Amino acid sequence: MNGTKSPYFAAAATRMQKTVAKPKRNATRAQIELPVAGNGVKLEPKEEESVTVPVKKPRRQKIKPEIEAGEIKTEMANALPLIKSEDVKQEINDGGWSPPNWEALYANIQKMRENRTAPVDSMGCDKVNDQDVPPAVQRFQCLISLMLSSQTKDEINFAAMTRLREHGLTVQSLIDTSEEKIGQLIYPVGFWKTKAKYIKEVCQVLKDKYDCDIPRTVAELCKLKGVGPKMAHICMSSAWNEPSGIGVDTHVHRISGRLGWTQKECKTPEHTRVALESWLPRDLWVEVNWMLVGFGQEICRPVGPKCNECLNRFMCPTGQNWTPSPKKNPSPKKKPSPKKKVKE
């Protein structure tokens, strides 16, 4: 039988010829129901009215808080060079200038700090050294305490140093300790992971170059990872008993600006250091750090300063403009609801 003449194939061929491509679907606009008036007539929109399309606001970028240069950021591996006094002295101080009434202001701060009840007085970086170890180990412990102190409260730093001392706080003992273990010992100091890494690297440098001691100059101290100018100056006075400059941290930087102790506005702690050293007597360079730090922890706080308790209130530019914050009315106490009597 010839398959081409089969009725089956003939019918299939006929169906294929009749097959027509389906027409494409036309896109239609969505119909919007118009409001209907009371008489049943649909209200047409006015031509001048334009439909506003809401625009999404751009996402707010997160801004990282500023941190003292050369202390915490990753860039602190190569700490910023020290600012030399002779380079910016003309810019900050025109020569011979000193703030008015600074002796009276400083005397009042000394009086307010007589009791020494601030955290820095009992838990500062110079209070955590083990007095029963050799001097080189004491100097090393002072350096480690300063490295941990940045962006960390004195109470937390003191607790971390206590754990390190119990573990064994020498150059060799920390070299033999893993970075992970050091991180566990110093947690929760600020940026503890970065600090644990830098402590390991610094210990190896101290062993290789300084015979397990610490450098004796500010420039060499600032070459160590995680050590900035403030730490170096405090370390020189606390560890070596050789004042080299004023250690300016956030408290000293803030209070100096509030008291008007810089002739021009200083944007960085390093510029504040140069400005203070240009007029402050050298015999006060060591004392002024812990004096102002304790004053800033208790009275001249960064937020909500207690100007009403400050003896310098009427001499300080900030205190003169201070106004007490309005007291909030205490919320009324709720009366206890009467207990329902249970029917017997």
Side-chain angles (χ1 to χ4, degrees):
M1 181 178 179
N2 191 356
T4 57
K5 296 181 179 181
S6 173
Y8 172 79
F9 287 105
T14 305
R15 285 197 300 269
M16 291 176 64
Q17 290 177 359
K18 292 183 179 181
T19 303
V20 181
K22 294 183 179 180
K24 291 185 179 180
R25 234 173 127 183
N26 295 328
T28 56
R29 286 187 176 182
Q31 299 296 328
I32 302 174
E33 293 185 3
L34 299 175
V36 180
N39 53 5
V41 180
K42 292 186 178 181
L43 301 176
E44 296 292 336
K46 296 180 181 179
E47 294 183 359
E48 57 270 11
E49 291 182 355
S50 60
V51 180
T52 57
V53 180
V55 180
K56 291 185 178 180
K57 294 183 179 179
R59 295 183 101 185
R60 195 171 170 186
Q61 296 181 353
K62 294 183 180 179
I63 301 176
K64 295 182 179 180
E66 294 184 359
I67 302 172
E68 294 181 11
E71 290 188 9
I72 290 300
K73 289 184 179 179
T74 306
E75 291 83 358
M76 74 182 179
N78 299 320
L80 297 176
L82 290 173
I83 298 177
K84 295 181 180 180
S85 301
E86 54 269 20
D87 294 341
V88 293
K89 189 173 182 180
Q90 188 65 28
E91 176 186 348
I92 295 178
N93 192 343
D94 294 334
W97 178 87
S98 61
N101 300 328
W102 75 265
E103 296 95 339
L105 292 168
Y106 195 81
N108 286 336
I109 294 175
Q110 288 178 319
K111 188 173 183 180
M112 288 183 284
R113 294 277 286 116
E114 283 179 348
N115 296 329
R116 299 190 180 184
T117 55
V120 69
D121 297 320
S122 57
M123 291 176 282
C125 295
D126 57 339
K127 305 295 183 182
V128 295
N129 302 342
D130 190 352
Q131 302 298 323
D132 299 329
V133 296
V137 179
Q138 292 185 29
R139 290 191 288 267
F140 170 70
Q141 292 180 356
C142 179
L143 175 63
I144 295 298
S145 178
L146 287 166
M147 292 177 66
L148 298 179
S149 66
S150 57
Q151 305 297 316
T152 304
K153 292 184 177 180
D154 288 330
E155 299 89 338
I156 297 176
N157 185 33
F158 186 83
M161 285 295 297
T162 302
R163 291 190 294 271
L164 284 174
R165 286 174 52 185
E166 292 174 352
H167 171 77
L169 189 50
T170 63
V171 174
Q172 188 60 50
S173 64
L174 293 187
I175 290 177
D176 298 335
T177 305
S178 65
E179 181 181 324
E180 181 181 1
K181 179 63 176 178
I182 294 176
Q184 294 174 358
L185 291 171
I186 67 176
Y187 179 85
V189 300
F191 300 89
W192 59 273
K193 289 184 179 180
T194 304
K195 291 178 181 179
K197 176 183 177 182
Y198 288 164
I199 286 174
K200 286 286 292 183
E201 297 182 16
V202 166
C203 287
Q204 192 62 51
V205 173
L206 297 182
K207 182 180 180 180
D208 297 340
K209 294 185 177 181
Y210 301 97
D211 193 22
C212 294
D213 206 338
I214 66 173
R216 196 161 187 167
T217 64
V218 173
E220 291 180 346
L221 283 168
C222 287
K223 291 179 181 179
L224 301 175
K225 287 190 176 180
V227 179
K230 179 205 76 172
M231 301 180 189
H233 287 298
I234 297 177
C235 190
M236 288 297 297
S237 60
S238 300
W240 291 109
N241 197 22
E242 296 178 5
S244 59
I246 300 174
V248 178
D249 66 347
T250 55
H251 293 288
V252 180
H253 178 61
R254 178 183 70 255
I255 295 172
S256 298
R258 286 180 176 178
L259 294 175
W261 279 5
T262 58
Q263 188 176 11
K264 297 179 181 179
E265 182 182 0
C266 297
K267 296 183 179 180
T268 65
E270 263 296 273
H271 281 82
T272 299
R273 177 185 68 83
V274 176
L276 292 176
E277 291 176 358
S278 66
W279 61 265
L280 188 68
R282 195 178 183 89
D283 58 346
L284 297 177
W285 283 12
V286 176
E287 179 187 89
V288 70
N289 176 266
W290 65 264
M291 186 74 67
L292 295 185
V293 169
F295 179 58
Q297 288 176 340
E298 292 188 314
I299 296 179
C300 196
R301 300 183 299 185
V303 180
K306 300 179 180 180
C307 294
N308 58 323
E309 300 179 12
C310 183
L311 299 178
N312 293 325
R313 176 182 173 184
F314 299 104
M315 291 187 291
C316 169
T318 303
Q320 292 174 0
N321 299 325
W322 176 83
T323 55
S325 58
K327 295 182 179 179
K328 296 181 180 180
N329 296 326
S331 56
K333 294 183 179 180
K334 295 182 180 180
K335 296 182 180 180
S337 57
K339 295 182 180 180
K340 295 181 180 180
K341 294 182 178 180
V342 180
K343 295 182 179 180
E344 295 181 358

